[in-house]
């Protein structure tokens, strides 16, 4: 059976996604590519730009998705368009330019679900590459406390979180506008990126000039590998220290805070209110003293924080349910306590020039003894 491959281009507003897309389409080397554009507020302009790129793509081949973001409200529409294009038989590649405010993981979920639910007569869809485009100069500014952020209708705190997620979940990372930073700054930027994302192929570019082989037919995407390429996810699974010379040279480090005592939420809130500037990223499991059976997910990027429900700890489930979970996920037993089971506080910290002892001491003061 024939197949249609998919490349998704993500990145924050103004990073150079459409420029990259136009360059790709102007050099498809015989690949028949369809395009899905989703850029809120700019979609018609971008669709027109793409349609006229090298006269290679007719307007009918550009699907302009409006009235929402494909990572959420338009997920069903995206699946329908992908299946329609694939089964049409005219294209062997689909390039998705996601909105600058889209998170990549939900889109990847949509595509993966579409692949799994394909009918016997459907053409195979293959998610081949997730490309994140970063404005190199702005990236450095945003991780210097975020003071230079300017975004239309976007809360400043949310931008850093979104930017981090786009970096963490990709297989190819384009450091665009490389001509606007010095070699020393580029080294610092690569260290920032590697402190968040350990496996993606990094490509430096000026005006989004990138070899086609870095975008299409790469064979780089695997959902499990992409998810676990985020340093926080890898550290959760392997808590030992990460020794990456490129990262350590610029003062970036990672450590895991793990305790078998619950947190007093009010005390933890005071810690968050005085969050150390040196921490770039924190994510992990929170065990609250007032709801000892419930598991929570804590996440921070820049000055954006949230705490969300994440189900129950496996140890708190009914015996038959607990046994079924442990049978499906035997890895849980590696970190299992005879008395507490999987109840714990486990937070991954990524930052620059962090005072680990001070952070751990302040967190220890938040624990219920």
């Amino acid at each position: 059976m024939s197949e249609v491959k998919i490349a998704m281009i993500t990145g924050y507003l103004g990073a150079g996604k459409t420029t990259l897309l136009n360059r790709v389409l102007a050099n498809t080397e015989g690949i028949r590519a369809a395009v899905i554009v989703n850029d809120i507020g700019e979609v018609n302009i971008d669709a027109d730009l793409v349609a006229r790129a090298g006269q290679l793509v007719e307007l009918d081949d550009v699907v302009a998705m409006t009235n929402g973001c494909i990572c959420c409200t338009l997920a069903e529409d995206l699946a329908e368009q992908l299946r329609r294009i694939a089964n049409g038989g005219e294209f062997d590649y689909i390039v998705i330019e996601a909105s600058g405010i889209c998170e990549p993981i939900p889109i990847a979920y949509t595509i993966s679900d579409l692949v799994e639910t394909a009918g016997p007569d459907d053409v195979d869809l293959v998610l081949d590459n997730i490309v994140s485009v970063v404005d190199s100069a702005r990236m450095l500014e945003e991780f210097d406390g975020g003071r230079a952020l300017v975004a239309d209708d976007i809360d400043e705190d949310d931008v850093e979180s979104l930017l981090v997620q786009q970096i963490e979940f990709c297989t190819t990372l384009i450091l665009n506008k490389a001509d606007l930073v010095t070699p020393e700054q580029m080294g610092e930027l690569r260290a920032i990126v590697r402190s968040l994302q350990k496996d993606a192929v990094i490509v430096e570019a000026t005006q989004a000039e990138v070899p086609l082989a870095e975008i299409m037919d790469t064979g780089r995407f695997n959902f499990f590998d992409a998810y676990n390429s985020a340093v926080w996810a890898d550290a959760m699974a392997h808590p030992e220290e990460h020794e990456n010379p490129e990262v350590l040279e610029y003062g970036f480090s990672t450590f895991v805070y793990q305790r078998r005592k619950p947190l007093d939420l009010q005390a933890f809130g005071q810690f968050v209110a005085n969050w150390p500037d040196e921490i770039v990223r924190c994510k992990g499991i929170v065990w609250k003293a007032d709801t000892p059976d419930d598991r929570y997910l804590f996440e921070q990027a820049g000055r954006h924080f949230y705490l969300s429900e994440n189900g129950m700890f496996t140890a708190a489930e009914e015996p038959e349910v607990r046994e079924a979970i442990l049978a499906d996920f035997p890895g849980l037993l590696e970190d299992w306590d005879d008395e507490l089971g999987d109840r714990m506080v486990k937070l991954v910290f990524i930052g620059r020039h962090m005072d680990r002892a001070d952070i751990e001491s302040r967190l220890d003061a938040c624990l219920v003894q």
Side-chain angles (χ1 to χ4, degrees):
M1 182 181 290
S2 60
E3 64 179 21
V4 173
K5 296 182 180 180
I6 300 170
M8 179 168 69
I9 300 175
T10 69
Y12 191 59
L13 304 170
K17 298 187 301 299
T18 301
T19 302
L20 174 64
L21 179 57
N22 285 330
R23 289 193 182 281
V24 168
L25 293 174
N27 296 279
T28 54
E29 299 176 5
I31 297 175
R32 300 173 301 162
V35 178
I36 293 178
V37 177
N38 172 227
D39 225 334
I40 296 172
E42 301 176 25
V43 62
N44 292 330
I45 296 173
D46 285 351
D48 182 58
L49 285 172
V50 172
R52 292 186 289 105
Q55 301 298 315
L56 291 176
V57 180
E58 299 297 330
L59 187 58
D60 289 344
D61 300 335
V62 179
V63 180
M65 304 187 74
T66 57
N67 303 317
C69 171
I70 57 177
C71 66
C72 42
T73 56
L74 290 181
E76 188 173 325
D77 291 343
L78 173 63
E80 181 181 337
Q81 293 289 1
L82 288 172
R83 183 57 66 201
R84 180 186 64 80
I85 293 171
N87 289 340
E90 298 180 39
F91 302 99
D92 33 47
Y93 221 99
I94 301 172
V95 183
I96 301 172
E97 182 192 349
S99 163
I101 59 171
C102 268
E103 299 173 12
I105 290 182
I107 306 174
Y109 266 130
T110 296
I111 298 171
S112 297
D113 183 64
L114 186 63
V115 170
E116 292 177 1
T117 58
D121 297 325
D122 287 328
V123 172
D124 286 340
L125 281 166
V126 178
L127 183 51
D128 177 68
N129 198 10
I130 294 184
V131 182
S132 181
V133 185
V134 170
D135 180 331
S136 297
R138 190 175 185 188
M139 176 72 170
L140 291 172
E141 294 172 348
E142 289 177 357
F143 274 89
D144 185 21
R147 290 185 291 271
L149 293 175
V150 178
D152 296 334
D153 302 320
I154 305 298
D155 186 85
E156 183 178 76
D157 290 344
D158 290 334
V159 174
E160 291 170 323
S161 178
L162 177 64
L163 188 63
V164 166
Q165 291 181 60
Q166 291 173 342
I167 291 171
E168 287 180 335
F169 194 79
C170 70
T171 44
T172 303
L173 186 63
I174 309 297
L175 298 181
N176 196 29
K177 307 182 184 181
D179 56 319
L180 301 182
V181 300
T182 66
E184 173 65 21
Q185 288 173 322
M186 181 56 73
E188 179 183 3
L189 180 55
R190 293 181 70 99
I192 291 173
V193 168
R194 279 292 178 233
S195 75
L196 298 168
Q197 157 61 254
K198 66 183 181 66
D199 292 332
V201 174
I202 299 176
V203 181
E204 298 174 19
T206 297
Q207 296 181 353
E209 289 192 14
V210 178
L212 186 65
E214 301 289 2
I215 308 298
M216 305 175 80
D217 281 327
T218 65
R220 290 173 184 164
F221 185 82
N222 171 280
F223 194 97
F224 179 82
D225 291 342
Y227 183 84
N228 286 283
S229 66
V231 169
W232 76 265
D234 182 62
M236 285 287 283
H238 308 98
E240 64 271 12
E241 293 282 349
H242 290 248
E243 298 294 336
N244 183 332
E246 183 178 19
V247 170
L248 294 175
E249 179 184 355
Y250 287 86
F252 288 92
S253 61
T254 302
F255 73 89
V256 180
Y257 175 86
Q258 183 171 334
R259 299 291 188 271
R260 289 287 182 174
K261 295 179 180 179
L263 284 169
D264 176 88
L265 194 59
Q266 185 174 0
F268 183 61
Q270 288 297 314
F271 172 78
V272 170
N274 296 281
W275 194 259
D277 292 337
E278 295 78 16
I279 300 172
V280 172
R281 179 71 157 139
C282 177
K283 190 168 182 176
I285 302 164
V286 164
W287 176 22
K288 289 170 50 182
D290 58 339
T291 55
D293 290 342
D294 297 326
R295 169 182 163 130
Y296 289 81
L297 179 69
F298 175 76
E299 186 165 2
Q300 167 271 339
R303 295 185 303 277
H304 178 56
F305 309 86
Y306 68 81
L307 186 70
S308 58
E309 296 180 358
N310 195 234
M312 295 176 65
F313 285 106
T314 302
E317 298 282 3
E318 294 295 326
E320 61 272 16
V321 176
R322 180 170 62 247
E323 290 175 10
I325 293 174
L326 291 175
D328 289 338
F329 302 98
L332 288 172
L333 292 173
E334 296 176 8
D335 219 3
W336 195 266
D337 181 84
D338 290 340
E339 179 183 354
L340 300 173
D342 58 337
R343 293 182 181 91
M344 71 178 77
V345 176
K346 190 174 185 181
L347 299 170
V348 178
F349 287 89
I350 301 170
R352 189 176 192 183
H353 305 304
M354 292 185 294
D355 187 336
R356 176 174 180 174
D358 179 66
I359 293 170
E360 290 185 333
S361 175
R362 290 171 59 188
L363 281 171
D364 286 345
C366 300
L367 299 173
V368 176
Q369 304 300 322

